[in-house]
Amino acid sequence: MNHQEKPPEENLTEMMEFSLLGFADMPHLQWFLFGLFLVIYIIILISNGTIFLITKMDPALQSPVYFFLANFSFLEICYVTATLPRMLMNLGTQRRRISMAACATQMCFVLLFGGTESLLLAVMAYDRYVAICNPLHYPVVMNHRVCIQLVTGSWITGIPVMIGHTYQIFSLPFCRSKQINHFFCDIPPILKLACGDTFVNEMLVYIVTVLFVMFPFLLILCSYSKIISIILKLPSATSQAKAFSTCSSHLMVVVLFFGSCIITYLRPNTRHSEGTDKVLSLFYTILTPLFNPVIYSLRNKDVIRVLKKLLCK
């Protein structure tokens, strides 16, 4: 009798756990990948942490643009911390098990930070639009109260949506293989493991992606199109070149982040390639937090000047 009761408990334990395969298909590169991602993680923490600290401490960097940069740098640290430590632990220990609760928590934070990044990038593009296209009204339009409201809205808007979205996904029955062919708990590989009807969940993925990815992306493109039209009217070719250089670098990061997100979440489910999903997710979860400090801050003369002053001290 006791022997018959034991298997259901074991099955229940198995049902409550997943296995993150990560890069298990490259066994000879495990320690190389561990070292590579560890170095990337340290660089992201140091670069974004430095930008956050100097924008808070230096009196010369108290304008709205640096207020947004400080929040953006802090967000990048949170965003990458939601995925990389777990990946490093899996690579270092080869223990790939993750509980359903931990998997749901990771997905929720990744979605929340990703949605916040989309909205914050749109806010930063709007800030540049007002500064370049309407400079006389910039101090009034982008006052401290408005800046706080925009940042707060970016952080809290997605909380109920992402929590509800995650809850609905993990309410599905999982009766297939518990192996997640990914390095973190992302929506497409989790939905592939569900044995129930996922039509509603897939529709919600499209709706959330449109609201938190496509809509901010279009706002950013509109802002930069206005900015570029103003730049073309500048009399100096040197000023045009400098402005175009800044805009092009910003747009490069925007396209990298939003493009990889759009392809991952808006492709039809039948066309999903697990290998392609892993590569694309590397772009929006790791590479953009790595490049953003260089693109948005470390090419800025004011930031470089403050850094040099701190190093000299």
Side-chain angles (χ1 to χ4, degrees):
M1 186 72 179
N2 292 334
H3 180 73
Q4 290 177 348
E5 290 176 353
K6 200 171 181 179
E9 293 177 2
E10 291 177 356
N11 290 338
L12 181 62
T13 302
E14 289 177 4
M15 288 290 288
M16 297 299 289
E17 285 187 339
F18 293 105
S19 179
L20 282 169
L21 295 182
F23 301 96
D25 54 341
M26 296 181 283
H28 302 297
L29 295 176
Q30 297 297 295
W31 286 107
F32 169 76
L33 292 172
F34 176 84
L36 175 65
F37 288 122
L38 178 62
V39 170
I40 289 174
Y41 186 47
I42 292 170
I43 291 172
I44 291 172
L45 292 181
I46 292 174
S47 57
N48 285 285
T50 302
I51 292 164
F52 176 79
L53 289 175
I54 64 173
T55 51
K56 291 295 182 183
M57 294 169 56
D58 196 278
L61 302 179
Q62 300 306 310
S63 60
V65 63
Y66 297 111
F67 175 73
F68 294 133
L69 279 175
N71 279 273
F72 190 62
S73 297
F74 177 72
L75 172 63
E76 293 292 53
I77 292 173
C78 296
Y79 192 28
V80 78
T81 301
T83 56
L84 260 180
R86 167 66 69 169
M87 187 206 302
L88 290 171
M89 186 183 75
N90 291 349
L91 286 170
T93 64
Q94 298 300 306
R95 296 174 184 174
R96 299 186 173 89
R97 286 189 175 185
I98 182 171
S99 68
M100 184 177 287
C103 191
T105 302
Q106 185 185 52
M107 178 187 286
C108 187
F109 277 114
V110 169
L111 293 177
L112 176 60
F113 293 141
T116 303
E117 179 158 339
S118 299
L119 297 175
L120 198 53
L121 283 170
V123 167
M124 292 168 70
Y126 174 70
D127 172 70
R128 291 299 82 207
Y129 162 75
V130 177
I132 294 172
C133 301
N134 201 359
L136 296 178
H137 294 91
Y138 180 71
V140 178
V141 175
M142 300 302 293
N143 60 64
H144 187 62
R145 182 183 174 185
V146 171
C147 292
I148 292 175
Q149 290 174 341
L150 288 171
V151 167
T152 304
S154 299
W155 276 95
I156 68 174
T157 299
I159 291 176
V161 177
M162 301 313 179
I163 291 176
H165 194 31
T166 303
Y167 175 79
Q168 189 159 28
I169 289 173
F170 280 88
S171 296
L172 292 168
F174 296 99
C175 54
R176 298 177 188 173
S177 169
K178 301 301 177 296
Q179 293 185 337
I180 303 172
N181 191 9
H182 214 291
F183 60 87
F184 73 97
C185 293
D186 203 4
I187 295 175
I190 294 292
L191 285 181
K192 285 183 178 180
L193 303 182
C195 58
D197 185 9
T198 61
F199 176 77
V200 173
N201 300 90
E202 289 171 13
M203 289 300 103
L204 283 174
V205 170
Y206 294 142
I207 292 170
V208 171
T209 304
V210 168
L211 291 176
F212 285 88
V213 180
M214 284 295 296
F215 186 61
F217 183 53
L218 292 175
L219 288 178
I220 292 169
L221 291 182
C222 289
S223 297
Y224 275 105
S225 64
K226 293 284 187 181
I227 291 170
I228 291 170
S229 68
I230 294 294
I231 290 171
L232 292 173
K233 297 176 183 177
L234 294 175
S236 170
T238 305
S239 299
Q240 286 185 356
K242 181 182 176 182
F244 268 122
S245 174
T246 303
C247 287
S248 62
S249 59
H250 288 191
L251 282 172
M252 181 176 66
V253 171
V254 165
V255 170
L256 184 70
F257 175 76
F258 284 98
S260 54
C261 287
I262 290 168
I263 295 171
T264 300
Y265 295 111
L266 290 186
R267 279 184 303 164
N269 196 36
T270 53
R271 294 178 58 191
H272 272 192
S273 166
E274 293 176 338
T276 305
D277 282 345
K278 275 197 282 190
V279 173
L280 287 171
S281 60
L282 285 173
F283 282 98
Y284 63 80
T285 59
I286 296 175
L287 291 183
T288 50
L290 179 65
F291 293 149
N292 280 335
V294 178
I295 299 297
Y296 281 97
S297 305
L298 299 180
R299 295 174 76 245
N300 185 294
K301 288 183 178 180
D302 292 332
V303 174
I304 295 297
R305 177 180 52 78
V306 173
L307 280 173
K308 285 181 178 179
K309 185 170 69 174
L310 287 174
L311 290 173
C312 289
K313 287 182 180 179

